[in-house]
Short mmCIF file of all heavy atoms in Angstrom, two decimals:
data_model
loop_
_atom_site.label_atom_id
_atom_site.label_comp_id
_atom_site.label_asym_id
_atom_site.label_seq_id
_atom_site.Cartn_x
_atom_site.Cartn_y
_atom_site.Cartn_z
N ASP A 1 73.84 106.14 85.36
CA ASP A 1 75.30 105.91 85.44
C ASP A 1 75.92 106.68 86.56
O ASP A 1 76.74 106.18 87.33
CB ASP A 1 75.94 106.30 84.11
CG ASP A 1 75.50 105.35 82.96
OD1 ASP A 1 75.04 104.25 83.22
OD2 ASP A 1 75.65 105.83 81.79
N ARG A 2 75.52 107.99 86.70
CA ARG A 2 76.07 108.79 87.74
C ARG A 2 75.63 108.30 89.08
O ARG A 2 76.41 108.36 90.08
CB ARG A 2 75.66 110.26 87.55
CG ARG A 2 76.44 110.94 86.44
CD ARG A 2 76.02 112.41 86.29
NE ARG A 2 74.73 112.49 85.52
CZ ARG A 2 74.69 112.54 84.19
NH1 ARG A 2 75.78 112.52 83.50
NH2 ARG A 2 73.52 112.68 83.59
N ALA A 3 74.44 107.76 89.21
CA ALA A 3 73.95 107.22 90.47
C ALA A 3 74.74 105.92 90.82
O ALA A 3 75.09 105.73 92.02
CB ALA A 3 72.47 106.89 90.35
N ARG A 4 75.05 105.15 89.85
CA ARG A 4 75.85 103.97 90.11
C ARG A 4 77.23 104.32 90.60
O ARG A 4 77.82 103.68 91.44
CB ARG A 4 75.91 103.11 88.87
CG ARG A 4 74.62 102.34 88.53
CD ARG A 4 74.78 101.44 87.33
NE ARG A 4 73.60 100.64 87.14
CZ ARG A 4 73.38 99.83 86.11
NH1 ARG A 4 74.30 99.76 85.18
NH2 ARG A 4 72.27 99.05 86.09
N ALA A 5 77.85 105.35 89.97
CA ALA A 5 79.18 105.80 90.40
C ALA A 5 79.10 106.17 91.88
O ALA A 5 80.05 105.79 92.65
CB ALA A 5 79.65 106.92 89.51
N TYR A 6 78.07 106.94 92.22
CA TYR A 6 78.00 107.39 93.60
C TYR A 6 77.79 106.23 94.56
O TYR A 6 78.37 106.17 95.64
CB TYR A 6 76.80 108.38 93.71
CG TYR A 6 76.57 108.86 95.16
CD1 TYR A 6 77.35 109.92 95.69
CD2 TYR A 6 75.56 108.32 95.89
CE1 TYR A 6 77.15 110.34 96.95
CE2 TYR A 6 75.34 108.75 97.24
CZ TYR A 6 76.14 109.76 97.74
OH TYR A 6 75.93 110.22 99.02
N GLN A 7 76.89 105.27 94.20
CA GLN A 7 76.61 104.17 95.04
C GLN A 7 77.85 103.29 95.28
O GLN A 7 78.10 102.78 96.34
CB GLN A 7 75.47 103.35 94.45
CG GLN A 7 74.14 104.07 94.45
CD GLN A 7 73.13 103.42 93.53
OE1 GLN A 7 73.36 102.35 92.95
NE2 GLN A 7 71.96 104.11 93.37
N LEU A 8 78.61 103.09 94.20
CA LEU A 8 79.83 102.30 94.33
C LEU A 8 80.84 103.01 95.23
O LEU A 8 81.47 102.36 96.08
CB LEU A 8 80.48 102.09 92.94
CG LEU A 8 79.66 101.17 92.00
CD1 LEU A 8 80.22 101.26 90.57
CD2 LEU A 8 79.72 99.70 92.48
N GLU A 9 80.95 104.33 95.11
CA GLU A 9 81.92 105.05 95.97
C GLU A 9 81.46 104.98 97.46
O GLU A 9 82.32 104.77 98.30
CB GLU A 9 81.89 106.56 95.53
CG GLU A 9 82.58 106.81 94.23
CD GLU A 9 82.47 108.27 93.80
OE1 GLU A 9 81.73 108.98 94.46
OE2 GLU A 9 83.10 108.61 92.76
N ARG A 10 80.16 104.99 97.65
CA ARG A 10 79.68 104.95 99.06
C ARG A 10 79.96 103.53 99.64
O ARG A 10 80.25 103.42 100.82
CB ARG A 10 78.18 105.21 99.16
CG ARG A 10 77.75 106.63 98.77
CD ARG A 10 78.48 107.67 99.64
NE ARG A 10 79.65 108.17 98.92
CZ ARG A 10 80.61 108.90 99.51
NH1 ARG A 10 80.58 109.11 100.81
NH2 ARG A 10 81.65 109.34 98.83
N SER A 11 79.91 102.48 98.79
CA SER A 11 80.21 101.11 99.25
C SER A 11 81.66 101.03 99.65
O SER A 11 82.03 100.35 100.65
CB SER A 11 79.87 100.12 98.18
OG SER A 11 78.48 100.13 97.87
N VAL A 12 82.57 101.71 98.91
CA VAL A 12 84.02 101.70 99.22
C VAL A 12 84.23 102.42 100.50
O VAL A 12 84.93 101.90 101.44
CB VAL A 12 84.81 102.33 98.10
CG1 VAL A 12 86.28 102.40 98.47
CG2 VAL A 12 84.66 101.56 96.76
N VAL A 13 83.67 103.56 100.66
CA VAL A 13 83.84 104.37 101.90
C VAL A 13 83.31 103.65 103.09
O VAL A 13 83.95 103.55 104.18
CB VAL A 13 83.17 105.75 101.75
CG1 VAL A 13 83.17 106.47 103.10
CG2 VAL A 13 83.83 106.62 100.67
N LYS A 14 82.16 102.96 102.92
CA LYS A 14 81.54 102.24 104.04
C LYS A 14 82.47 101.11 104.52
O LYS A 14 82.63 100.89 105.72
CB LYS A 14 80.21 101.71 103.64
CG LYS A 14 79.37 101.12 104.81
CD LYS A 14 77.98 100.73 104.35
CE LYS A 14 77.18 100.18 105.56
NZ LYS A 14 76.94 101.23 106.57
N LEU A 15 83.06 100.39 103.57
CA LEU A 15 83.96 99.28 103.95
C LEU A 15 85.24 99.83 104.63
O LEU A 15 85.67 99.32 105.64
CB LEU A 15 84.29 98.47 102.75
CG LEU A 15 85.20 97.23 103.01
CD1 LEU A 15 84.78 96.03 102.19
CD2 LEU A 15 86.64 97.54 102.75
N MET A 16 85.86 100.84 104.06
CA MET A 16 87.05 101.39 104.63
C MET A 16 86.84 101.97 106.00
O MET A 16 87.63 101.82 106.90
CB MET A 16 87.66 102.40 103.67
CG MET A 16 88.13 101.88 102.36
SD MET A 16 89.53 100.70 102.49
CE MET A 16 90.86 101.83 102.81
N ARG A 17 85.69 102.59 106.19
CA ARG A 17 85.37 103.14 107.51
C ARG A 17 84.99 101.99 108.47
O ARG A 17 85.25 102.12 109.65
CB ARG A 17 84.27 104.15 107.45
CG ARG A 17 84.74 105.46 106.76
CD ARG A 17 83.63 106.54 106.85
NE ARG A 17 83.25 106.87 108.18
CZ ARG A 17 84.02 107.64 109.03
NH1 ARG A 17 85.20 108.09 108.59
NH2 ARG A 17 83.58 107.90 110.23
N GLY A 18 84.39 100.91 107.94
CA GLY A 18 84.09 99.78 108.79
C GLY A 18 85.38 99.20 109.35
O GLY A 18 85.44 98.88 110.58
N LEU A 19 86.39 99.08 108.55
CA LEU A 19 87.66 98.55 109.03
C LEU A 19 88.30 99.51 110.01
O LEU A 19 88.90 99.06 110.98
CB LEU A 19 88.63 98.32 107.87
CG LEU A 19 88.28 97.15 106.86
CD1 LEU A 19 89.19 97.16 105.71
CD2 LEU A 19 88.28 95.82 107.55
N LEU A 20 88.16 100.80 109.71
CA LEU A 20 88.69 101.83 110.61
C LEU A 20 88.07 101.72 112.02
O LEU A 20 88.75 101.77 113.06
CB LEU A 20 88.51 103.21 110.07
CG LEU A 20 89.00 104.39 110.89
CD1 LEU A 20 90.49 104.38 110.92
CD2 LEU A 20 88.47 105.71 110.33
N PHE A 21 86.75 101.58 112.05
CA PHE A 21 86.08 101.47 113.34
C PHE A 21 86.54 100.18 114.10
O PHE A 21 86.71 100.18 115.31
CB PHE A 21 84.58 101.40 113.13
CG PHE A 21 83.99 102.67 112.65
CD1 PHE A 21 82.77 102.73 111.93
CD2 PHE A 21 84.62 103.90 112.90
CE1 PHE A 21 82.27 103.93 111.48
CE2 PHE A 21 84.11 105.07 112.41
CZ PHE A 21 82.92 105.13 111.73
N CYS A 22 86.73 99.05 113.35
CA CYS A 22 87.16 97.83 114.00
C CYS A 22 88.54 98.04 114.64
O CYS A 22 88.77 97.62 115.80
CB CYS A 22 87.31 96.69 112.95
SG CYS A 22 85.73 96.14 112.33
N MET A 23 89.41 98.71 113.97
CA MET A 23 90.78 98.95 114.50
C MET A 23 90.75 99.99 115.61
O MET A 23 91.55 99.87 116.59
CB MET A 23 91.74 99.33 113.37
CG MET A 23 92.00 98.22 112.40
SD MET A 23 93.27 98.62 111.15
CE MET A 23 92.23 99.65 110.02
N MET A 24 89.93 101.01 115.52
CA MET A 24 89.89 102.07 116.53
C MET A 24 89.37 101.49 117.88
O MET A 24 89.72 101.99 118.92
CB MET A 24 88.99 103.21 116.07
CG MET A 24 89.55 104.08 115.01
SD MET A 24 88.55 105.48 114.57
CE MET A 24 88.82 106.53 116.05
N ARG A 25 88.56 100.42 117.83
CA ARG A 25 88.13 99.75 119.05
C ARG A 25 89.30 99.07 119.72
O ARG A 25 89.14 98.68 120.87
CB ARG A 25 87.04 98.74 118.73
CG ARG A 25 85.75 99.46 118.21
CD ARG A 25 84.72 98.47 117.75
NE ARG A 25 84.13 97.75 118.86
CZ ARG A 25 83.07 96.93 118.74
NH1 ARG A 25 82.46 96.83 117.52
NH2 ARG A 25 82.54 96.28 119.79
N GLN A 26 90.45 98.94 119.05
CA GLN A 26 91.62 98.31 119.65
C GLN A 26 92.72 99.32 119.73
O GLN A 26 93.94 99.01 119.66
CB GLN A 26 92.05 97.12 118.82
CG GLN A 26 91.06 95.97 118.78
CD GLN A 26 91.75 94.69 118.45
OE1 GLN A 26 92.34 94.52 117.34
NE2 GLN A 26 91.65 93.68 119.30
N ALA A 27 92.34 100.59 119.96
CA ALA A 27 93.40 101.67 120.07
C ALA A 27 94.38 101.39 121.18
O ALA A 27 95.53 101.78 121.11
CB ALA A 27 92.69 102.99 120.26
N ASP A 28 93.89 100.72 122.27
CA ASP A 28 94.82 100.49 123.39
C ASP A 28 95.90 99.51 122.96
O ASP A 28 97.08 99.54 123.46
CB ASP A 28 94.03 99.93 124.56
CG ASP A 28 93.25 98.67 124.20
OD1 ASP A 28 92.81 98.54 123.04
OD2 ASP A 28 93.06 97.77 125.10
N LYS A 29 95.62 98.60 122.03
CA LYS A 29 96.58 97.67 121.53
C LYS A 29 97.64 98.36 120.74
O LYS A 29 98.85 98.02 120.75
CB LYS A 29 95.89 96.58 120.69
CG LYS A 29 95.31 95.42 121.53
CD LYS A 29 94.87 94.32 120.59
CE LYS A 29 94.48 93.08 121.43
NZ LYS A 29 95.66 92.53 122.11
N VAL A 30 97.24 99.38 119.97
CA VAL A 30 98.17 100.12 119.14
C VAL A 30 99.23 100.82 120.09
O VAL A 30 100.39 100.80 119.85
CB VAL A 30 97.46 101.16 118.25
CG1 VAL A 30 98.47 101.99 117.46
CG2 VAL A 30 96.48 100.43 117.28
N GLU A 31 98.68 101.40 121.12
CA GLU A 31 99.58 102.07 122.14
C GLU A 31 100.51 101.05 122.77
O GLU A 31 101.68 101.30 122.91
CB GLU A 31 98.71 102.75 123.18
CG GLU A 31 97.97 103.96 122.70
CD GLU A 31 98.81 105.08 122.19
OE1 GLU A 31 99.95 105.24 122.73
OE2 GLU A 31 98.44 105.79 121.29
N SER A 32 100.00 99.88 123.12
CA SER A 32 100.87 98.92 123.74
C SER A 32 101.91 98.34 122.75
O SER A 32 103.04 98.15 123.10
CB SER A 32 100.01 97.74 124.27
OG SER A 32 99.05 98.14 125.21
N PHE A 33 101.48 98.19 121.49
CA PHE A 33 102.43 97.67 120.50
C PHE A 33 103.56 98.68 120.25
O PHE A 33 104.71 98.27 119.98
CB PHE A 33 101.66 97.42 119.21
CG PHE A 33 102.49 96.59 118.19
CD1 PHE A 33 102.50 95.27 118.18
CD2 PHE A 33 103.22 97.33 117.21
CE1 PHE A 33 103.26 94.58 117.19
CE2 PHE A 33 103.94 96.63 116.28
CZ PHE A 33 103.96 95.26 116.27
N LYS A 34 103.26 99.96 120.26
CA LYS A 34 104.31 100.95 120.04
C LYS A 34 105.42 100.85 121.12
O LYS A 34 106.57 101.10 120.81
CB LYS A 34 103.75 102.34 120.03
CG LYS A 34 102.87 102.66 118.79
CD LYS A 34 102.55 104.11 118.66
CE LYS A 34 101.89 104.65 119.89
NZ LYS A 34 101.51 106.07 119.72
N ARG A 35 104.98 100.50 122.30
CA ARG A 35 105.98 100.39 123.43
C ARG A 35 106.65 98.98 123.45
O ARG A 35 107.78 98.81 123.79
CB ARG A 35 105.32 100.73 124.72
CG ARG A 35 104.87 102.16 124.86
CD ARG A 35 104.00 102.33 126.08
NE ARG A 35 103.67 103.72 126.25
CZ ARG A 35 102.73 104.38 125.62
NH1 ARG A 35 101.98 103.77 124.72
NH2 ARG A 35 102.51 105.68 125.83
N MET A 36 105.84 97.96 123.08
CA MET A 36 106.37 96.61 123.15
C MET A 36 105.79 95.83 121.95
O MET A 36 104.70 95.26 122.02
CB MET A 36 106.01 95.90 124.42
CG MET A 36 106.68 94.59 124.63
SD MET A 36 106.25 93.86 126.27
CE MET A 36 107.02 95.01 127.35
N PRO A 37 106.49 95.79 120.78
CA PRO A 37 105.91 95.16 119.57
C PRO A 37 105.98 93.63 119.65
O PRO A 37 106.81 93.01 119.03
CB PRO A 37 106.86 95.70 118.46
CG PRO A 37 108.16 96.00 119.15
CD PRO A 37 107.76 96.45 120.56
N ILE A 38 105.05 93.05 120.37
CA ILE A 38 104.96 91.61 120.49
C ILE A 38 103.62 91.19 119.95
O ILE A 38 102.70 92.00 119.87
CB ILE A 38 105.20 91.10 121.93
CG1 ILE A 38 104.18 91.75 122.85
CG2 ILE A 38 106.57 91.42 122.38
CD1 ILE A 38 104.22 91.30 124.31
N LYS A 39 103.49 89.86 119.66
CA LYS A 39 102.28 89.45 119.01
C LYS A 39 101.01 89.58 119.88
O LYS A 39 99.90 89.73 119.35
CB LYS A 39 102.39 87.94 118.58
CG LYS A 39 102.76 87.01 119.75
CD LYS A 39 103.01 85.62 119.22
CE LYS A 39 103.33 84.63 120.32
NZ LYS A 39 103.60 83.28 119.86
N GLU A 40 101.17 89.56 121.17
CA GLU A 40 99.99 89.73 122.08
C GLU A 40 99.42 91.14 122.00
O GLU A 40 98.24 91.32 122.35
CB GLU A 40 100.34 89.40 123.54
CG GLU A 40 100.61 87.93 123.79
CD GLU A 40 101.96 87.46 123.28
OE1 GLU A 40 102.82 88.33 123.00
OE2 GLU A 40 102.27 86.25 123.26
N ASN A 41 100.26 92.09 121.59
CA ASN A 41 99.78 93.48 121.52
C ASN A 41 99.34 93.91 120.11
O ASN A 41 99.02 95.09 119.86
CB ASN A 41 100.91 94.44 122.00
CG ASN A 41 101.20 94.32 123.41
OD1 ASN A 41 100.38 93.84 124.21
ND2 ASN A 41 102.41 94.67 123.85
N ALA A 42 99.30 92.98 119.20
CA ALA A 42 99.04 93.30 117.81
C ALA A 42 97.52 93.52 117.54
O ALA A 42 96.69 92.97 118.21
CB ALA A 42 99.51 92.17 116.88
N LEU A 43 97.26 94.38 116.57
CA LEU A 43 95.86 94.51 116.10
C LEU A 43 95.40 93.21 115.56
O LEU A 43 96.19 92.43 114.99
CB LEU A 43 95.82 95.54 114.95
CG LEU A 43 95.83 97.01 115.32
CD1 LEU A 43 96.01 97.91 114.07
CD2 LEU A 43 94.58 97.43 116.07
N HIS A 44 94.16 92.90 115.72
CA HIS A 44 93.61 91.65 115.17
C HIS A 44 93.53 91.67 113.69
O HIS A 44 93.31 92.73 113.06
CB HIS A 44 92.20 91.37 115.77
CG HIS A 44 92.27 90.77 117.12
ND1 HIS A 44 91.35 89.94 117.64
CD2 HIS A 44 93.21 90.93 118.12
CE1 HIS A 44 91.67 89.56 118.85
NE2 HIS A 44 92.76 90.15 119.20
N ALA A 45 93.73 90.50 113.12
CA ALA A 45 93.75 90.38 111.61
C ALA A 45 92.35 90.17 111.05
O ALA A 45 92.15 90.43 109.86
CB ALA A 45 94.59 89.21 111.20
N LYS A 46 91.40 89.81 111.89
CA LYS A 46 90.01 89.64 111.40
C LYS A 46 89.01 89.99 112.50
O LYS A 46 89.34 89.96 113.67
CB LYS A 46 89.82 88.17 110.98
CG LYS A 46 90.05 87.14 112.02
CD LYS A 46 89.78 85.74 111.43
CE LYS A 46 89.97 84.65 112.52
NZ LYS A 46 89.63 83.32 112.02
N TYR A 47 87.81 90.35 112.06
CA TYR A 47 86.80 90.81 112.97
C TYR A 47 85.42 90.19 112.61
O TYR A 47 85.22 89.70 111.52
CB TYR A 47 86.70 92.35 112.91
CG TYR A 47 87.96 93.02 113.27
CD1 TYR A 47 88.89 93.40 112.33
CD2 TYR A 47 88.25 93.37 114.60
CE1 TYR A 47 90.10 94.06 112.62
CE2 TYR A 47 89.49 94.01 114.89
CZ TYR A 47 90.37 94.31 113.95
OH TYR A 47 91.50 94.93 114.30
N ASP A 48 84.54 90.27 113.58
CA ASP A 48 83.18 89.75 113.33
C ASP A 48 82.50 90.65 112.38
O ASP A 48 82.40 91.86 112.55
CB ASP A 48 82.45 89.67 114.68
CG ASP A 48 81.10 89.00 114.53
OD1 ASP A 48 80.24 89.46 113.77
OD2 ASP A 48 80.88 87.94 115.23
#
């Protein structure tokens, strides 16, 4: 049971960090959006 709890937690962390990495690859868009909040500068809604 304790192993399952740990494995489930790691799956959550892996997904949340996976999304973080996807967005961090678009850090330049975040900077552009802060200066000009238009749709062309937005973070992507989906990733490969």
